[in-house]
Amino acid sequence: MRLARGLTQAELAARVRAEIERSTGKPSPVDAQAISRIECGEISWPRRSTREALVAVLGVESESALGLFAKRTRRESERGDTTKRRSFLALTSLAVSELGDSAPGRVGVADVMALRSRFARLVELDSYLGGADTFHLYFSELARNEQILAHSNLTSNVRRELTTILAAEQAQQSGWAAFDAGHSDLAVRFFDYGLKAAEEANSMDLVANSLLHMSYVSGTAESMRSAESACTAIGPEATGRRMALLDSRRAWSYAVGGNREQAVRALDAARHAVDSEDDAAPAWCSWVDHAELDIMTGRVWSVLGRPDAAIEPLTKALENYPDSWSRDKSLYLTWLADAHLDAGDIDRAIVAGEQALALATRAASVRPLARVREVANRCAATSSTFGVDLARRAQETRLVTASP
């Protein structure tokens, strides 16, 4: 809720202090650190004046709408533990309050299957839309899940499916959408949520996937550590598309860090892995194939400044890549443009940049346009008239998107 209102923890703390002083006539010590501890569940039942101020400032009906419960009963204790474990009060409270009291009284296996099927259909939208358009869809699914956990009667098996497996997947997808919309800090919180849920379920696949996502949004050194941790989590016996995706992401992390030798080894390992039989590949990696590895190979060599090795695989993969997947195709075209620039072929670089710019305007994602601007500026630096024009238009382009 704080994030939805565009407030930092310090700003929320200031409003809470003002509300407490207005209602009690006494100063309050609430600061940004206290808000952080409340959001993370370290303080699950703050003092009454703070609770009442939070309710007033955030405009909800009750303390429970904020996920605050006095641990007087075992069930309430479980609720508090779940909130603390997931560190998500600031996020789930918004969607839960919007959903109202719609949680069913009892939820069974069939209901979980329906929730999973619905979420799978929503995930398919990621190929066509950007994170700014999909974030609230995925986040609302996660919040609905949490609402069911808080208010519905569940068996232990159903609770496990909701609290761990499905929640981890929903958090990972929400984090990806937040990252795609340009909110990296928020994305990390979702990925951390998903990681904790996956660890509770002892699902090494989902643990690895959470770590893979973290490797994409973190800095270079942290990126490599996260990618290596993902491989460790999934174990040495993993094969097929699981390892193909893990190794390809490791290759990218190494390339960004300038480690050519390690990147090449990881790419070779990914090629070997994707050729092995993998009939039971989980959804998070089932899409990995040779075309995807061609794209990653081209991206890796482009970043490493080897256009001779980058241009062919990228060109090959993009020939049959649909324009309807505008975000991804735009991004991949920017690495092709970079490779052409490194090869001294300014004309082809500008053509790729023009295609990338046209596609970037179709997706509710900040990433393609940011990359296009980088490439366009490189084109302009060559003093090409067409390059200068591309850079100007890329800089003037604005995306009209929703925001997490």
Side-chain angles (χ1 to χ4, degrees), residues 329-346:
K329 189 168 185 176
S330 176
L331 285 167
Y332 302 153
L333 280 164
T334 64
W335 280 293
L336 179 60
D338 270 336
H340 283 309
L341 283 167
D342 290 338
D345 194 335
I346 308 304

Side-chain angles (χ1 to χ4, degrees), residues 14 51 79 153 172 195 207 218 231 247 263 265 295 325 379-380:
R51 299 195 309 270
R79 290 173 181 166
N153 293 322
Q172 289 167 5
L195 177 61
V207 167
S218 55
C231 290
D247 284 325
R265 280 206 293 263
I295 289 170
W325 296 357
C379 291

Side-chain angles (χ1 to χ4, degrees), residues 75-91:
R75 183 178 182 185
E76 288 170 342
S77 179
E78 289 175 351
R79 290 173 181 166
D81 289 344
T82 297
T83 302
K84 181 176 181 178
R85 186 172 59 246
R86 300 268 165 69
S87 306
F88 243 34
L89 179 147
L91 302 180

Side-chain angles (χ1 to χ4, degrees), residues 51 54-56 59-69 97 101:
R51 299 195 309 270
L54 283 168
V55 168
V60 296
E61 295 182 357
S62 65
E63 296 156 351
S64 62
L66 292 171
L68 300 176
F69 297 93
S97 63
D101 298 325

Side-chain angles (χ1 to χ4, degrees), residues 8 44 55 105 111 120 329 333 376 382 402:
T8 65
S44 60
V55 168
D111 299 303
K329 189 168 185 176
L333 280 164
T382 67

Side-chain angles (χ1 to χ4, degrees), residues 281-331:
W284 61 268
C285 64
S286 60
W287 47 272
V288 179
D289 56 19
H290 281 287
E292 290 294 333
L293 291 184
D294 282 341
I295 289 170
M296 183 59 79
T297 298
R299 290 173 62 193
V300 164
W301 284 119
S302 179
V303 168
L304 289 172
R306 280 282 308 278
D308 56 314
I311 292 172
E312 182 180 351
L314 279 173
T315 301
K316 175 184 174 183
L318 288 170
E319 282 178 353
N320 298 314
Y321 210 88
D323 286 352
S324 57
W325 296 357
S326 56
R327 175 196 60 204
D328 293 345
K329 189 168 185 176
S330 176
L331 285 167

Side-chain angles (χ1 to χ4, degrees), residues 205-218:
D205 278 354
L206 290 176
V207 167
N209 199 29
S210 290
L211 290 167
L212 276 179
H213 280 110
M214 289 178 177
S215 76
Y216 247 59
V217 304
S218 55

